[in-house]
Amino acid sequence: MGPRLRSARERRGATLTDVSRMTGISLSTLSRIETGRRKPTLEVLLRLAKAYGASLDDLAGTAPVAAPVAAAGPRTPVPQRPGDDKVVLPLTRYVGGLHAHKHVLPAVDGPPARPRQVSHDGYEWLCVLYGRLWLALGEQDLVLSAGEVAEFDTRTAHGVANAGPGGPVEYLIMFGPQGERLRPRIRAS
C-alpha cells in the first residue's frame, strides 16, 4: 500500500511535509507508511483519502474493475492488481467482545495455493461483499461469492484466499474472541 500512497501524494505534487500539515499526521508516520514499515489505520487512510481526493478503495488498490463492454472486435482484458498484501480495515474500536473488520484481498494472476490454516479460540462470521473467496475450513474447501456467508468455530483450522483471477475480494468478518455468537432476534420464515 505504501507505494500507492506515495504515488497518490506525488500526483498531487505534495511533499510529505505538505501532507503532514494538511492531515495532522506526523511526518515520521507518513514516511513509515510510504516505505512499508508501518500499516496505516482506517483513521489515517480516511485523512489521506480526503487530502488526495481519492476513495479508500483507490488508495488500497481494491476498487472493483469494471467488466469490459462487449464489442464487435476483440475484448480488452480486465486489468489486475497483483502483488499487494491483504488490507484490513477495523470497523470497531473497543477491546473485547465482538470485533468487525473489512478485509480486501488483491487480485491474483492465476490459481492460488490452498490457504494456510490457523486455529484459535473464538467464533467467526464471514460475509463476501465482492468477488470469490476460497474458505478452507478443516478438510472442506468452499468458494463463496458476493452475498454468501459462513459461520464457524475458529478452533476449526481455517484460512482464506482469493479464489482465482477476476479481481479483488472484499469481505466482512465479525469475530467473537471468547466464542460469542450472533443472536438473531427475528428469523424470516
Side-chain angles (χ1 to χ4, degrees), residues 80 82-84 105-116 132-136 141-144 159-169:
Q80 302 290 311
D84 294 332
L105 299 175
V108 294
D109 287 329
R114 189 167 199 268
R116 183 180 66 85
R132 295 175 57 238
L133 182 73
W134 180 356
L135 172 62
D141 287 301
L142 307 164
V143 175
L144 305 173
V160 297
N162 189 325
V169 178

Side-chain angles (χ1 to χ4, degrees), residues 125-177:
W125 305 267
L126 193 149
C127 176
V128 178
L129 301 173
Y130 178 84
R132 295 175 57 238
L133 182 73
W134 180 356
L135 172 62
L137 187 58
E139 298 299 316
Q140 290 184 315
D141 287 301
L142 307 164
V143 175
L144 305 173
S145 297
E148 293 186 309
V149 298
E151 71 175 279
F152 53 92
D153 186 319
T154 55
R155 291 176 293 186
T156 301
H158 59 283
V160 297
N162 189 325
V169 178
E170 297 183 24
Y171 59 100
L172 296 177
I173 284 183
M174 289 186 65
F175 170 71

Side-chain angles (χ1 to χ4, degrees), residues 3-185:
R4 232 181 345 274
L5 292 172
R6 182 181 309 113
S7 177
R9 174 179 57 79
E10 289 171 349
R11 279 193 305 273
R12 306 263 315 165
T15 65
L16 285 174
T17 303
D18 296 334
V19 175
S20 178
R21 284 188 197 125
M22 284 189 295
T23 63
I25 302 167
S26 77
L27 190 60
S28 63
T29 297
L30 290 169
S31 176
R32 287 193 308 261
I33 289 170
E34 284 191 3
T35 58
R37 291 179 294 167
R38 181 173 178 173
K39 292 190 179 205
T41 63
L42 179 57
E43 179 182 352
V44 166
L45 283 174
L46 288 169
R47 288 184 194 178
L48 292 173
K50 184 176 181 182
Y52 299 153
S55 71
L56 285 176
D57 281 332
D58 288 336
L59 291 183
T62 58
V65 179
V69 177
R75 297 185 82 172
T76 305
V78 176
Q80 302 290 311
R81 289 186 166 87
D84 294 332
D85 293 330
K86 170 172 71 170
V87 176
V88 178
L89 302 171
L91 302 175
T92 52
R93 293 179 178 254
Y94 55 86
V95 177
L98 294 174
H99 300 270
H101 299 88
K102 177 181 178 182
H103 291 233
V104 182
L105 299 175
V108 294
D109 287 329
R114 189 167 199 268
R116 183 180 66 85
Q117 293 181 303
V118 297
S119 60
H120 49 86
D121 287 337
Y123 203 82
E124 191 166 292
W125 305 267
L126 193 149
C127 176
V128 178
L129 301 173
Y130 178 84
R132 295 175 57 238
L133 182 73
W134 180 356
L135 172 62
L137 187 58
E139 298 299 316
Q140 290 184 315
D141 287 301
L142 307 164
V143 175
L144 305 173
S145 297
E148 293 186 309
V149 298
E151 71 175 279
F152 53 92
D153 186 319
T154 55
R155 291 176 293 186
T156 301
H158 59 283
V160 297
N162 189 325
V169 178
E170 297 183 24
Y171 59 100
L172 296 177
I173 284 183
M174 289 186 65
F175 170 71
Q178 308 303 320
E180 294 94 339
R181 298 182 71 169
L182 294 175
R183 296 176 303 279
R185 293 187 65 182

